[in-house]
Amino acid sequence: MTAKPTIAIIGAGIGGLALAAFLHRAGANVEVYEQATQFQRVGAGIQMSPNAIRVLRSLGLEQGLRQRAFQPRSWDNRVWDTGERLSELNFADAESRYGAPYLLMHRADLHAALFSAVPAHLIAFNKKLTGLDRNGASIDLRFADQTRATVDAVIGADGVHSIVREVLLGPERPRFTGRVAHRTVFPTALMRDFALDNCTKWWGPDRHIVTYPVTASGDETYFVTSVPDPSWDVESWSAAGDMEEVRLAFAGFHDDVQRVLAASPQVHKWALFERDPLPRWAFGPIVLLGDACHPMTPYMAQGGASALEDAAILARCLDNVNDVEAAFRRYEATRLERTARLQLTSRENTWGKRAIDPGWVYGYDVWQTPVAASGAAPGVAS
Ligand SMILES: Cc1cc2nc3c(=O)[nH]c(=O)nc-3n(C[C@H](O)[C@H](O)[C@H](O)COP(=O)(O)OP(=O)(O)OC[C@H]3O[C@@H](n4cnc5c(N)ncnc54)[C@H](O)[C@@H]3O)c2cc1C
């Protein structure tokens, strides 16, 4: 391997962009390969908890996001029809308790912020990875447009259907949960005399809906559902849902939910997938990050947050080292236990339903947590 190894990041999503920004700052020789031809402003919100904000802060993105995002009082948990409060995750004291705020934002605002932290020339669009081969000390990448690249190390940040994971571990589709998420962002003005002023999860017997504003001014409103639908396993931003179907699925829910659903002109329908925790994800000079290695249900709002955590810890492990493989093993050893716990806890879908101490999630500090001194033995990529 050369003194300054060339590192390819596959996927310019939340985790891939954050890692690229950290590695570029550290002077690494990094290139990002993204299958999309460009980024689109798709309709979805995202919750960024204090553990994630700490990562965004170190990329210089916190202030801009604070200005754009909505800062909720709490994550309010209510009974679907009566609105009776079950419990509340209080964020009024998030900054004194966890050292960072809890922010609700448009996913595109988060993505744009991360994108702005990476020099444009480091991201190659329209580069859908189709395969990779170990070739002595280097790795050959193959793309759908018939081009190739040769690098020293690869980080698979290519999401829940990761091709890098498939190359390493063989084909195994993520498990369809039998549930779908409907989600959309729409102008709050469409609700006329009504507006949300907090984040609320409405818990029904076999389904739920989460509603919140995604801008500081509250002029954009978001909802995301989880509804049983074993017949639908499509995951695409171009997959339109049917608002009438959503209204029917939530008939009888509280008036506040009805107002949101009545006003929403359109919706995306997104199948929910997950996987069991992996025992390892570092294989010599190839490693996984984010949903590629620990996809989880969205019920704790920690999938994106944990991809950001991965990026920060991996950047710490790679800082000033020439032995990339050892760095990858240390990263894996540092992250495995926490991400498995997040996956398994999220799967239960009980987060916030009863009074809990969320400190282990929100209080995690990527900059203070000890990085493992060494990891497992090197693996062999197929
Ligand atoms: C309904 C829903 C709500 C959610 N809400 C939250 C929330 O509130 N808070 C939170 O923290 N998380 C949330 N999540 C989870 C979060 O969206 C994911 O965990 C997060 O996007 C994972 O980041 P990532 O970088 O690993 O993958 P992604 O963000 O999915 O990025 C993967 C990237 O890789 C690219 N790619 C894929 N395959 C290839 C290929 N072969 N070649 C090149 N590029 C490729 C993709 O185009 C994409 O850009 C939610 C998820 C869902 C489904």
Side-chain angles (χ1 to χ4, degrees), residues 10-16 33-35 46-48 107 127-129 157-159 163 181 183 224 270 272 290-291 298 301-305 307:
I10 311 300
I14 293 174
Y33 297 95
E34 166 58 44
Q35 66 179 1
I46 191 159
Q47 309 188 33
M48 285 283 102
R107 182 177 276 258
K127 291 289 173 193
K128 181 181 171 68
L129 187 80
D158 48 345
I163 179 82
R183 53 180 164 169
V224 56
W270 190 274
L272 294 175
D291 276 9
Q302 284 299 311

PDB file of all heavy atoms in Angstrom, residues 10-16 33-35 46-48 107 127-129 157-159 163 181 183 224 270 272 290-291 298 301-305 307, ligand 1:
ATOM      1  N   ILE A  10     -18.113   4.329  -1.129  1.00  0.00           N
ATOM      2  CA  ILE A  10     -19.211   4.020  -2.037  1.00  0.00           C
ATOM      3  C   ILE A  10     -20.497   4.527  -1.395  1.00  0.00           C
ATOM      4  O   ILE A  10     -20.926   4.038  -0.349  1.00  0.00           O
ATOM      5  CB  ILE A  10     -19.326   2.496  -2.308  1.00  0.00           C
ATOM      6  CG1 ILE A  10     -17.957   1.914  -2.692  1.00  0.00           C
ATOM      7  CG2 ILE A  10     -20.377   2.243  -3.388  1.00  0.00           C
ATOM      8  CD1 ILE A  10     -17.317   2.511  -3.930  1.00  0.00           C
ATOM      9  N   GLY A  11     -21.116   5.536  -2.015  1.00  0.00           N
ATOM     10  CA  GLY A  11     -22.365   6.084  -1.502  1.00  0.00           C
ATOM     11  C   GLY A  11     -22.185   7.455  -0.874  1.00  0.00           C
ATOM     12  O   GLY A  11     -21.426   7.610   0.087  1.00  0.00           O
ATOM     13  N   ALA A  12     -22.866   8.449  -1.452  1.00  0.00           N
ATOM     14  CA  ALA A  12     -22.825   9.817  -0.908  1.00  0.00           C
ATOM     15  C   ALA A  12     -24.110  10.087  -0.136  1.00  0.00           C
ATOM     16  O   ALA A  12     -24.812  11.063  -0.376  1.00  0.00           O
ATOM     17  CB  ALA A  12     -22.635  10.830  -2.039  1.00  0.00           C
ATOM     18  N   GLY A  13     -24.428   9.178   0.781  1.00  0.00           N
ATOM     19  CA  GLY A  13     -25.570   9.391   1.673  1.00  0.00           C
ATOM     20  C   GLY A  13     -25.103  10.111   2.932  1.00  0.00           C
ATOM     21  O   GLY A  13     -24.054  10.784   2.933  1.00  0.00           O
ATOM     22  N   ILE A  14     -25.842   9.944   3.993  1.00  0.00           N
ATOM     23  CA  ILE A  14     -25.540  10.667   5.233  1.00  0.00           C
ATOM     24  C   ILE A  14     -24.160  10.270   5.765  1.00  0.00           C
ATOM     25  O   ILE A  14     -23.315  11.124   6.067  1.00  0.00           O
ATOM     26  CB  ILE A  14     -26.643  10.389   6.277  1.00  0.00           C
ATOM     27  CG1 ILE A  14     -27.959  11.015   5.815  1.00  0.00           C
ATOM     28  CG2 ILE A  14     -26.238  10.896   7.655  1.00  0.00           C
ATOM     29  CD1 ILE A  14     -29.155  10.680   6.683  1.00  0.00           C
ATOM     30  N   GLY A  15     -23.931   8.963   5.868  1.00  0.00           N
ATOM     31  CA  GLY A  15     -22.663   8.502   6.432  1.00  0.00           C
ATOM     32  C   GLY A  15     -21.496   8.729   5.493  1.00  0.00           C
ATOM     33  O   GLY A  15     -20.420   9.165   5.923  1.00  0.00           O
ATOM     34  N   GLY A  16     -21.689   8.454   4.199  1.00  0.00           N
ATOM     35  CA  GLY A  16     -20.599   8.587   3.233  1.00  0.00           C
ATOM     36  C   GLY A  16     -20.114  10.021   3.122  1.00  0.00           C
ATOM     37  O   GLY A  16     -18.903  10.282   3.081  1.00  0.00           O
ATOM     38  N   TYR A  33     -18.032   7.672  -4.636  1.00  0.00           N
ATOM     39  CA  TYR A  33     -18.726   7.206  -5.842  1.00  0.00           C
ATOM     40  C   TYR A  33     -20.202   7.038  -5.511  1.00  0.00           C
ATOM     41  O   TYR A  33     -20.550   6.251  -4.621  1.00  0.00           O
ATOM     42  CB  TYR A  33     -18.136   5.885  -6.328  1.00  0.00           C
ATOM     43  CG  TYR A  33     -16.689   6.005  -6.739  1.00  0.00           C
ATOM     44  CD1 TYR A  33     -15.663   5.706  -5.836  1.00  0.00           C
ATOM     45  CD2 TYR A  33     -16.342   6.446  -8.006  1.00  0.00           C
ATOM     46  CE1 TYR A  33     -14.332   5.832  -6.206  1.00  0.00           C
ATOM     47  CE2 TYR A  33     -15.014   6.579  -8.391  1.00  0.00           C
ATOM     48  CZ  TYR A  33     -14.013   6.273  -7.488  1.00  0.00           C
ATOM     49  OH  TYR A  33     -12.694   6.410  -7.847  1.00  0.00           O
ATOM     50  N   GLU A  34     -21.046   7.774  -6.215  1.00  0.00           N
ATOM     51  CA  GLU A  34     -22.483   7.779  -5.922  1.00  0.00           C
ATOM     52  C   GLU A  34     -23.263   7.363  -7.170  1.00  0.00           C
ATOM     53  O   GLU A  34     -23.022   7.874  -8.265  1.00  0.00           O
ATOM     54  CB  GLU A  34     -22.907   9.188  -5.462  1.00  0.00           C
ATOM     55  CG  GLU A  34     -24.396   9.451  -5.436  1.00  0.00           C
ATOM     56  CD  GLU A  34     -25.203   8.503  -4.541  1.00  0.00           C
ATOM     57  OE1 GLU A  34     -24.759   8.235  -3.408  1.00  0.00           O
ATOM     58  OE2 GLU A  34     -26.260   8.039  -4.992  1.00  0.00           O
ATOM     59  N   GLN A  35     -24.233   6.476  -6.975  1.00  0.00           N
ATOM     60  CA  GLN A  35     -24.989   5.969  -8.130  1.00  0.00           C
ATOM     61  C   GLN A  35     -25.943   7.014  -8.726  1.00  0.00           C
ATOM     62  O   GLN A  35     -26.199   7.000  -9.926  1.00  0.00           O
ATOM     63  CB  GLN A  35     -25.780   4.731  -7.729  1.00  0.00           C
ATOM     64  CG  GLN A  35     -26.883   5.000  -6.710  1.00  0.00           C
ATOM     65  CD  GLN A  35     -27.679   3.747  -6.343  1.00  0.00           C
ATOM     66  OE1 GLN A  35     -27.402   2.667  -6.824  1.00  0.00           O
ATOM     67  NE2 GLN A  35     -28.658   3.908  -5.478  1.00  0.00           N
ATOM     68  N   ILE A  46     -36.211  14.471   9.055  1.00  0.00           N
ATOM     69  CA  ILE A  46     -35.288  13.596   9.794  1.00  0.00           C
ATOM     70  C   ILE A  46     -35.006  14.226  11.149  1.00  0.00           C
ATOM     71  O   ILE A  46     -34.865  15.444  11.259  1.00  0.00           O
ATOM     72  CB  ILE A  46     -33.991  13.319   8.985  1.00  0.00           C
ATOM     73  CG1 ILE A  46     -33.173  12.198   9.639  1.00  0.00           C
ATOM     74  CG2 ILE A  46     -33.155  14.572   8.779  1.00  0.00           C
ATOM     75  CD1 ILE A  46     -32.188  11.508   8.712  1.00  0.00           C
ATOM     76  N   GLN A  47     -34.998  13.387  12.162  1.00  0.00           N
ATOM     77  CA  GLN A  47     -34.689  13.851  13.512  1.00  0.00           C
ATOM     78  C   GLN A  47     -33.194  13.689  13.735  1.00  0.00           C
ATOM     79  O   GLN A  47     -32.659  12.614  13.465  1.00  0.00           O
ATOM     80  CB  GLN A  47     -35.434  13.005  14.554  1.00  0.00           C
ATOM     81  CG  GLN A  47     -36.916  12.877  14.285  1.00  0.00           C
ATOM     82  CD  GLN A  47     -37.654  12.209  15.432  1.00  0.00           C
ATOM     83  OE1 GLN A  47     -37.288  12.366  16.599  1.00  0.00           O
ATOM     84  NE2 GLN A  47     -38.710  11.484  15.132  1.00  0.00           N
ATOM     85  N   MET A  48     -32.557  14.726  14.195  1.00  0.00           N
ATOM     86  CA  MET A  48     -31.142  14.654  14.523  1.00  0.00           C
ATOM     87  C   MET A  48     -30.979  14.879  16.021  1.00  0.00           C
ATOM     88  O   MET A  48     -31.188  15.981  16.538  1.00  0.00           O
ATOM     89  CB  MET A  48     -30.352  15.699  13.728  1.00  0.00           C
ATOM     90  CG  MET A  48     -30.141  15.351  12.261  1.00  0.00           C
ATOM     91  SD  MET A  48     -28.837  14.105  11.977  1.00  0.00           S
ATOM     92  CE  MET A  48     -29.757  12.613  11.693  1.00  0.00           C
ATOM     93  N   ARG A 107     -34.874  16.376   5.381  1.00  0.00           N
ATOM     94  CA  ARG A 107     -33.745  15.507   5.037  1.00  0.00           C
ATOM     95  C   ARG A 107     -32.835  16.162   3.997  1.00  0.00           C
ATOM     96  O   ARG A 107     -31.614  16.031   4.044  1.00  0.00           O
ATOM     97  CB  ARG A 107     -34.299  14.181   4.514  1.00  0.00           C
ATOM     98  CG  ARG A 107     -33.284  13.144   4.148  1.00  0.00           C
ATOM     99  CD  ARG A 107     -33.992  11.876   3.734  1.00  0.00           C
ATOM    100  NE  ARG A 107     -34.326  11.100   4.899  1.00  0.00           N
ATOM    101  CZ  ARG A 107     -33.637  10.031   5.306  1.00  0.00           C
ATOM    102  NH1 ARG A 107     -32.599   9.611   4.630  1.00  0.00           N
ATOM    103  NH2 ARG A 107     -33.979   9.375   6.379  1.00  0.00           N
ATOM    104  N   LYS A 127     -22.130   6.829 -10.690  1.00  0.00           N
ATOM    105  CA  LYS A 127     -21.158   5.744 -10.549  1.00  0.00           C
ATOM    106  C   LYS A 127     -21.777   4.666  -9.666  1.00  0.00           C
ATOM    107  O   LYS A 127     -21.558   4.625  -8.444  1.00  0.00           O
ATOM    108  CB  LYS A 127     -19.849   6.254  -9.923  1.00  0.00           C
ATOM    109  CG  LYS A 127     -19.070   7.182 -10.829  1.00  0.00           C
ATOM    110  CD  LYS A 127     -18.449   6.423 -11.992  1.00  0.00           C
ATOM    111  CE  LYS A 127     -17.804   7.363 -12.989  1.00  0.00           C
ATOM    112  NZ  LYS A 127     -17.476   6.700 -14.262  1.00  0.00           N
ATOM    113  N   LYS A 128     -22.584   3.830 -10.285  1.00  0.00           N
ATOM    114  CA  LYS A 128     -23.218   2.735  -9.552  1.00  0.00           C
ATOM    115  C   LYS A 128     -22.245   1.566  -9.492  1.00  0.00           C
ATOM    116  O   LYS A 128     -21.905   0.973 -10.523  1.00  0.00           O
ATOM    117  CB  LYS A 128     -24.513   2.312 -10.244  1.00  0.00           C
ATOM    118  CG  LYS A 128     -25.264   1.185  -9.544  1.00  0.00           C
ATOM    119  CD  LYS A 128     -26.520   0.840 -10.337  1.00  0.00           C
ATOM    120  CE  LYS A 128     -27.201  -0.408  -9.824  1.00  0.00           C
ATOM    121  NZ  LYS A 128     -27.800  -0.275  -8.511  1.00  0.00           N
ATOM    122  N   LEU A 129     -21.790   1.260  -8.300  1.00  0.00           N
ATOM    123  CA  LEU A 129     -20.855   0.144  -8.152  1.00  0.00           C
ATOM    124  C   LEU A 129     -21.589  -1.158  -8.463  1.00  0.00           C
ATOM    125  O   LEU A 129     -22.677  -1.406  -7.933  1.00  0.00           O
ATOM    126  CB  LEU A 129     -20.305   0.096  -6.724  1.00  0.00           C
ATOM    127  CG  LEU A 129     -19.192  -0.931  -6.514  1.00  0.00           C
ATOM    128  CD1 LEU A 129     -17.860  -0.385  -7.028  1.00  0.00           C
ATOM    129  CD2 LEU A 129     -19.059  -1.321  -5.050  1.00  0.00           C
ATOM    130  N   ALA A 157     -20.522   2.600   2.074  1.00  0.00           N
ATOM    131  CA  ALA A 157     -21.540   3.421   2.748  1.00  0.00           C
ATOM    132  C   ALA A 157     -22.752   3.488   1.827  1.00  0.00           C
ATOM    133  O   ALA A 157     -23.371   4.528   1.663  1.00  0.00           O
ATOM    134  CB  ALA A 157     -20.984   4.820   3.032  1.00  0.00           C
ATOM    135  N   ASP A 158     -23.048   2.323   1.223  1.00  0.00           N
ATOM    136  CA  ASP A 158     -24.037   2.285   0.151  1.00  0.00           C
ATOM    137  C   ASP A 158     -25.404   1.776   0.591  1.00  0.00           C
ATOM    138  O   ASP A 158     -26.144   1.196  -0.206  1.00  0.00           O
ATOM    139  CB  ASP A 158     -23.497   1.485  -1.055  1.00  0.00           C
ATOM    140  CG  ASP A 158     -22.890   0.142  -0.685  1.00  0.00           C
ATOM    141  OD1 ASP A 158     -22.615  -0.077   0.504  1.00  0.00           O
ATOM    142  OD2 ASP A 158     -22.703  -0.693  -1.585  1.00  0.00           O
ATOM    143  N   GLY A 159     -25.724   1.994   1.846  1.00  0.00           N
ATOM    144  CA  GLY A 159     -27.103   1.834   2.293  1.00  0.00           C
ATOM    145  C   GLY A 159     -27.541   0.398   2.526  1.00  0.00           C
ATOM    146  O   GLY A 159     -26.758  -0.548   2.456  1.00  0.00           O
ATOM    147  N   ILE A 163     -24.139  -3.154  -2.061  1.00  0.00           N
ATOM    148  CA  ILE A 163     -23.449  -4.108  -2.945  1.00  0.00           C
ATOM    149  C   ILE A 163     -22.112  -4.509  -2.317  1.00  0.00           C
ATOM    150  O   ILE A 163     -21.647  -5.644  -2.464  1.00  0.00           O
ATOM    151  CB  ILE A 163     -23.270  -3.529  -4.379  1.00  0.00           C
ATOM    152  CG1 ILE A 163     -22.533  -4.512  -5.294  1.00  0.00           C
ATOM    153  CG2 ILE A 163     -22.547  -2.226  -4.389  1.00  0.00           C
ATOM    154  CD1 ILE A 163     -23.402  -5.558  -5.881  1.00  0.00           C
ATOM    155  N   ALA A 181     -43.683   2.655   5.479  1.00  0.00           N
ATOM    156  CA  ALA A 181     -43.719   4.025   6.012  1.00  0.00           C
ATOM    157  C   ALA A 181     -44.263   4.935   4.912  1.00  0.00           C
ATOM    158  O   ALA A 181     -43.747   4.913   3.790  1.00  0.00           O
ATOM    159  CB  ALA A 181     -42.312   4.459   6.407  1.00  0.00           C
ATOM    160  N   ARG A 183     -44.545   8.820   3.994  1.00  0.00           N
ATOM    161  CA  ARG A 183     -43.956  10.066   4.503  1.00  0.00           C
ATOM    162  C   ARG A 183     -43.993  11.148   3.447  1.00  0.00           C
ATOM    163  O   ARG A 183     -43.906  10.869   2.245  1.00  0.00           O
ATOM    164  CB  ARG A 183     -42.538   9.871   5.034  1.00  0.00           C
ATOM    165  CG  ARG A 183     -41.592   9.219   4.096  1.00  0.00           C
ATOM    166  CD  ARG A 183     -40.218   9.088   4.747  1.00  0.00           C
ATOM    167  NE  ARG A 183     -39.401   8.146   4.025  1.00  0.00           N
ATOM    168  CZ  ARG A 183     -38.115   7.970   4.205  1.00  0.00           C
ATOM    169  NH1 ARG A 183     -37.460   8.671   5.103  1.00  0.00           N
ATOM    170  NH2 ARG A 183     -37.436   7.091   3.503  1.00  0.00           N
ATOM    171  N   VAL A 224     -44.616  10.787   9.184  1.00  0.00           N
ATOM    172  CA  VAL A 224     -44.116   9.475   8.779  1.00  0.00           C
ATOM    173  C   VAL A 224     -44.925   8.428   9.540  1.00  0.00           C
ATOM    174  O   VAL A 224     -45.197   8.596  10.732  1.00  0.00           O
ATOM    175  CB  VAL A 224     -42.593   9.330   9.035  1.00  0.00           C
ATOM    176  CG1 VAL A 224     -42.230   9.596  10.484  1.00  0.00           C
ATOM    177  CG2 VAL A 224     -42.086   7.965   8.597  1.00  0.00           C
ATOM    178  N   TRP A 270     -42.865   3.733   1.412  1.00  0.00           N
ATOM    179  CA  TRP A 270     -41.497   3.222   1.526  1.00  0.00           C
ATOM    180  C   TRP A 270     -41.513   1.952   2.372  1.00  0.00           C
ATOM    181  O   TRP A 270     -41.902   1.988   3.538  1.00  0.00           O
ATOM    182  CB  TRP A 270     -40.666   4.307   2.220  1.00  0.00           C
ATOM    183  CG  TRP A 270     -39.196   4.102   2.232  1.00  0.00           C
ATOM    184  CD1 TRP A 270     -38.479   3.383   3.147  1.00  0.00           C
ATOM    185  CD2 TRP A 270     -38.230   4.641   1.326  1.00  0.00           C
ATOM    186  NE1 TRP A 270     -37.154   3.433   2.856  1.00  0.00           N
ATOM    187  CE2 TRP A 270     -36.968   4.203   1.735  1.00  0.00           C
ATOM    188  CE3 TRP A 270     -38.320   5.455   0.192  1.00  0.00           C
ATOM    189  CZ2 TRP A 270     -35.806   4.546   1.072  1.00  0.00           C
ATOM    190  CZ3 TRP A 270     -37.151   5.794  -0.470  1.00  0.00           C
ATOM    191  CH2 TRP A 270     -35.918   5.349  -0.039  1.00  0.00           C
ATOM    192  N   LEU A 272     -40.217  -0.912   4.793  1.00  0.00           N
ATOM    193  CA  LEU A 272     -39.233  -0.867   5.887  1.00  0.00           C
ATOM    194  C   LEU A 272     -38.479  -2.204   5.978  1.00  0.00           C
ATOM    195  O   LEU A 272     -39.090  -3.262   6.124  1.00  0.00           O
ATOM    196  CB  LEU A 272     -39.935  -0.565   7.209  1.00  0.00           C
ATOM    197  CG  LEU A 272     -40.556   0.834   7.291  1.00  0.00           C
ATOM    198  CD1 LEU A 272     -41.339   1.005   8.584  1.00  0.00           C
ATOM    199  CD2 LEU A 272     -39.479   1.912   7.171  1.00  0.00           C
ATOM    200  N   GLY A 290     -22.717   2.591   8.375  1.00  0.00           N
ATOM    201  CA  GLY A 290     -24.127   3.015   8.322  1.00  0.00           C
ATOM    202  C   GLY A 290     -25.065   1.867   7.997  1.00  0.00           C
ATOM    203  O   GLY A 290     -24.870   0.724   8.434  1.00  0.00           O
ATOM    204  N   ASP A 291     -26.101   2.164   7.211  1.00  0.00           N
ATOM    205  CA  ASP A 291     -27.110   1.153   6.882  1.00  0.00           C
ATOM    206  C   ASP A 291     -26.512  -0.058   6.171  1.00  0.00           C
ATOM    207  O   ASP A 291     -27.113  -1.129   6.166  1.00  0.00           O
ATOM    208  CB  ASP A 291     -28.187   1.753   5.964  1.00  0.00           C
ATOM    209  CG  ASP A 291     -29.276   2.484   6.741  1.00  0.00           C
ATOM    210  OD1 ASP A 291     -29.117   2.666   7.969  1.00  0.00           O
ATOM    211  OD2 ASP A 291     -30.288   2.877   6.121  1.00  0.00           O
ATOM    212  N   PRO A 298     -36.852   2.616  11.706  1.00  0.00           N
ATOM    213  CA  PRO A 298     -36.687   4.043  12.035  1.00  0.00           C
ATOM    214  C   PRO A 298     -37.301   4.453  13.378  1.00  0.00           C
ATOM    215  O   PRO A 298     -37.391   5.632  13.672  1.00  0.00           O
ATOM    216  CB  PRO A 298     -37.413   4.741  10.873  1.00  0.00           C
ATOM    217  CG  PRO A 298     -38.354   3.749  10.316  1.00  0.00           C
ATOM    218  CD  PRO A 298     -37.857   2.381  10.654  1.00  0.00           C
ATOM    219  N   ALA A 301     -35.338   6.735  15.479  1.00  0.00           N
ATOM    220  CA  ALA A 301     -34.730   7.828  14.705  1.00  0.00           C
ATOM    221  C   ALA A 301     -33.216   7.854  14.909  1.00  0.00           C
ATOM    222  O   ALA A 301     -32.611   8.901  15.151  1.00  0.00           O
ATOM    223  CB  ALA A 301     -35.357   9.179  15.088  1.00  0.00           C
ATOM    224  N   GLN A 302     -32.603   6.669  14.786  1.00  0.00           N
ATOM    225  CA  GLN A 302     -31.159   6.582  15.044  1.00  0.00           C
ATOM    226  C   GLN A 302     -30.343   6.034  13.867  1.00  0.00           C
ATOM    227  O   GLN A 302     -29.126   5.899  13.969  1.00  0.00           O
ATOM    228  CB  GLN A 302     -30.895   5.720  16.293  1.00  0.00           C
ATOM    229  CG  GLN A 302     -31.194   6.450  17.586  1.00  0.00           C
ATOM    230  CD  GLN A 302     -30.335   7.697  17.754  1.00  0.00           C
ATOM    231  OE1 GLN A 302     -29.120   7.650  17.595  1.00  0.00           O
ATOM    232  NE2 GLN A 302     -30.949   8.823  18.065  1.00  0.00           N
ATOM    233  N   GLY A 303     -31.002   5.678  12.744  1.00  0.00           N
ATOM    234  CA  GLY A 303     -30.244   5.124  11.625  1.00  0.00           C
ATOM    235  C   GLY A 303     -29.245   6.123  11.063  1.00  0.00           C
ATOM    236  O   GLY A 303     -28.061   5.814  10.895  1.00  0.00           O
ATOM    237  N   GLY A 304     -29.717   7.326  10.772  1.00  0.00           N
ATOM    238  CA  GLY A 304     -28.837   8.361  10.241  1.00  0.00           C
ATOM    239  C   GLY A 304     -27.848   8.822  11.301  1.00  0.00           C
ATOM    240  O   GLY A 304     -26.664   9.055  11.008  1.00  0.00           O
ATOM    241  N   ALA A 305     -28.332   8.938  12.522  1.00  0.00           N
ATOM    242  CA  ALA A 305     -27.456   9.376  13.616  1.00  0.00           C
ATOM    243  C   ALA A 305     -26.298   8.398  13.792  1.00  0.00           C
ATOM    244  O   ALA A 305     -25.142   8.805  13.964  1.00  0.00           O
ATOM    245  CB  ALA A 305     -28.270   9.482  14.912  1.00  0.00           C
ATOM    246  N   ALA A 307     -25.074   6.397  11.526  1.00  0.00           N
ATOM    247  CA  ALA A 307     -24.164   6.497  10.373  1.00  0.00           C
ATOM    248  C   ALA A 307     -23.198   7.664  10.588  1.00  0.00           C
ATOM    249  O   ALA A 307     -22.005   7.576  10.254  1.00  0.00           O
ATOM    250  CB  ALA A 307     -24.960   6.678   9.086  1.00  0.00           C
TER     251      ALA A 307
HETATM  252  C1  LIG B   1     -39.083   6.194   7.147  1.00  0.00           C
HETATM  253  C2  LIG B   1     -37.713   6.440   7.687  1.00  0.00           C
HETATM  254  C3  LIG B   1     -37.510   7.446   8.621  1.00  0.00           C
HETATM  255  C4  LIG B   1     -36.233   7.664   9.154  1.00  0.00           C
HETATM  256  N1  LIG B   1     -36.055   8.655  10.101  1.00  0.00           N
HETATM  257  C5  LIG B   1     -34.826   8.839  10.639  1.00  0.00           C
HETATM  258  C6  LIG B   1     -34.622   9.861  11.626  1.00  0.00           C
HETATM  259  O1  LIG B   1     -35.557  10.605  11.975  1.00  0.00           O
HETATM  260  N2  LIG B   1     -33.374  10.005  12.153  1.00  0.00           N
HETATM  261  C7  LIG B   1     -32.319   9.197  11.767  1.00  0.00           C
HETATM  262  O2  LIG B   1     -31.205   9.369  12.264  1.00  0.00           O
HETATM  263  N3  LIG B   1     -32.497   8.234  10.836  1.00  0.00           N
HETATM  264  C8  LIG B   1     -33.707   8.029  10.269  1.00  0.00           C
HETATM  265  N4  LIG B   1     -33.884   7.076   9.313  1.00  0.00           N
HETATM  266  C9  LIG B   1     -32.732   6.226   8.933  1.00  0.00           C
HETATM  267  C10 LIG B   1     -31.812   6.919   7.951  1.00  0.00           C
HETATM  268  O3  LIG B   1     -32.523   7.379   6.842  1.00  0.00           O
HETATM  269  C11 LIG B   1     -30.734   5.931   7.475  1.00  0.00           C
HETATM  270  O4  LIG B   1     -30.270   5.175   8.543  1.00  0.00           O
HETATM  271  C12 LIG B   1     -29.567   6.697   6.865  1.00  0.00           C
HETATM  272  O5  LIG B   1     -29.972   7.330   5.662  1.00  0.00           O
HETATM  273  C13 LIG B   1     -28.395   5.769   6.603  1.00  0.00           C
HETATM  274  O6  LIG B   1     -27.336   6.513   6.060  1.00  0.00           O
HETATM  275  P1  LIG B   1     -26.293   5.797   5.103  1.00  0.00           P
HETATM  276  O7  LIG B   1     -25.304   6.838   4.730  1.00  0.00           O
HETATM  277  O8  LIG B   1     -25.817   4.542   5.720  1.00  0.00           O
HETATM  278  O9  LIG B   1     -27.154   5.340   3.835  1.00  0.00           O
HETATM  279  P2  LIG B   1     -27.985   6.232   2.837  1.00  0.00           P
HETATM  280  O10 LIG B   1     -28.271   7.565   3.422  1.00  0.00           O
HETATM  281  O11 LIG B   1     -29.108   5.361   2.393  1.00  0.00           O
HETATM  282  O12 LIG B   1     -26.999   6.470   1.619  1.00  0.00           O
HETATM  283  C14 LIG B   1     -26.566   5.427   0.789  1.00  0.00           C
HETATM  284  C15 LIG B   1     -26.067   6.071  -0.493  1.00  0.00           C
HETATM  285  O13 LIG B   1     -25.430   5.063  -1.280  1.00  0.00           O
HETATM  286  C16 LIG B   1     -25.849   5.199  -2.624  1.00  0.00           C
HETATM  287  N5  LIG B   1     -25.694   3.878  -3.243  1.00  0.00           N
HETATM  288  C17 LIG B   1     -26.413   2.774  -3.008  1.00  0.00           C
HETATM  289  N6  LIG B   1     -25.971   1.760  -3.742  1.00  0.00           N
HETATM  290  C18 LIG B   1     -24.933   2.240  -4.479  1.00  0.00           C
HETATM  291  C19 LIG B   1     -24.065   1.655  -5.458  1.00  0.00           C
HETATM  292  N7  LIG B   1     -24.164   0.374  -5.825  1.00  0.00           N
HETATM  293  N8  LIG B   1     -23.100   2.425  -6.010  1.00  0.00           N
HETATM  294  C20 LIG B   1     -22.975   3.741  -5.649  1.00  0.00           C
HETATM  295  N9  LIG B   1     -23.789   4.353  -4.743  1.00  0.00           N
HETATM  296  C21 LIG B   1     -24.750   3.593  -4.162  1.00  0.00           C
HETATM  297  C22 LIG B   1     -27.293   5.681  -2.510  1.00  0.00           C
HETATM  298  O14 LIG B   1     -27.738   6.285  -3.708  1.00  0.00           O
HETATM  299  C23 LIG B   1     -27.179   6.657  -1.359  1.00  0.00           C
HETATM  300  O15 LIG B   1     -26.822   7.951  -1.772  1.00  0.00           O
HETATM  301  C24 LIG B   1     -35.151   6.852   8.740  1.00  0.00           C
HETATM  302  C25 LIG B   1     -35.349   5.854   7.788  1.00  0.00           C
HETATM  303  C26 LIG B   1     -36.612   5.643   7.256  1.00  0.00           C
HETATM  304  C27 LIG B   1     -36.800   4.554   6.237  1.00  0.00           C
END
